[in-house]
Amino acid sequence: TTLPPPRTRIFKIIVIGDSGVGKTCLTYRFCAGKFPEKTEATIGVDFRERVIDIDGEKIKIQLWDTAGQERFRKSMVQHYYRNVHAVVFVYDVTSAGSFRGLPSWIEECKQHALGTEVPRILVGNKCDLRHFVQVGTDVAQQFADSHSMPLFETSAKSPGSNGGADGASGGGGGNSD
Ligand code: GDP
Ligand code: MG
């Protein structure tokens, strides 16, 4: 890897959650501006970057897309928590199981980002599948509140399809530049 030009600050953000919740699609959407035609199960850690402009300063957002598989995680886990600037926890709104999986991800994060005040957000993905929702906004919001995280409900596939719920367009939907 080459050094960034001066003034390009890099923010490392890791994306965590059960397998299949849409972590790869979300990171792809953010960095490539579209939904991937097809994704393969992520192996180990993948990362994608996008440079955004904040107040005239170029900020490189480096999204680390992680795999859920235990056997890869064990060896990789140290690497992706190192020097992390923010953590995105993802569940799938159509999968109660993925929501129940969140506490163990949060626990892992606590253990590896010890004592640091890393900003964390909670993302409910696949809101386009509105007829299949298993995790309602109320329950998710309560959970987010109890962990002092903001909640964003969104869709990597169709970011505008959440009916305009508060906050969602600031997350995965904010890719319209
Ligand atoms: P990961 O294992 O968390 O990386 O999940 P992927 O990004 O590989 O997505 C898993 C599956 O969910 C794939 O078949 C995706 O096409 C699908 N998927 C991901 N995001 C969305 C979404 O927002 N809406 C819908 N309908 N499907 C999605
Ligand atoms: Mg993946």
Side-chain angles (χ1 to χ4, degrees):
T1 53
T2 50
L3 285 170
R7 292 232 192 96
T8 302
R9 285 204 282 170
I10 298 179
F11 281 87
K12 174 183 175 180
I13 301 174
I14 58 177
V15 183
I16 293 178
D18 281 5
S19 190
V21 296
K23 299 180 298 296
T24 297
C25 291
L26 283 167
T27 62
Y28 193 86
R29 163 69 73 183
F30 181 77
C31 295
K34 58 187 181 193
F35 190 69
E37 300 275 309
K38 70 182 196 46
T39 56
E40 269 137 43
T42 311
I43 293 176
V45 177
D46 230 359
F47 74 83
R48 289 179 196 83
E49 296 181 327
R50 173 173 158 191
V51 175
I52 59 172
D53 206 279
I54 297 177
D55 297 335
E57 189 181 356
K58 298 235 176 298
I59 306 287
K60 183 179 277 185
I61 305 289
Q62 194 175 78
L63 288 180
W64 289 49
D65 175 17
T66 60
Q69 301 93 329
E70 262 310 306
R71 67 204 153 107
F72 296 113
R73 294 183 57 76
K74 289 244 160 68
S75 56
M76 297 304 295
V77 78
Q78 243 89 358
H79 294 290
Y80 59 78
Y81 281 105
R82 175 174 293 151
N83 300 326
V84 71
H85 293 98
V87 181
V88 178
F89 294 102
V90 185
Y91 67 96
D92 169 354
V93 298
T94 71
S95 162
S98 74
F99 186 71
R100 283 195 298 270
L102 289 169
S104 67
W105 295 115
I106 291 169
E107 191 49 41
E108 180 190 272
C109 176
K110 271 192 194 132
Q111 281 169 16
H112 289 271
L114 269 179
T116 54
E117 295 287 313
V118 181
R120 302 165 310 152
I121 68 167
L122 181 61
V123 170
N125 188 39
K126 307 196 189 181
C127 285
D128 58 292
L129 301 174
R130 63 180 81 227
H131 299 298
F132 303 94
V133 171
Q134 292 185 356
V135 184
T137 303
D138 290 356
V139 171
Q141 187 64 61
Q142 236 172 17
F143 181 82
D145 290 348
S146 72
H147 289 276
S148 308
M149 289 190 269
L151 169 70
F152 297 88
E153 291 184 309
T154 191
S155 160
K157 187 170 192 174
S158 179
S161 63
N162 58 353
D166 268 339
S169 62
N175 63 313
S176 54
D177 51 341

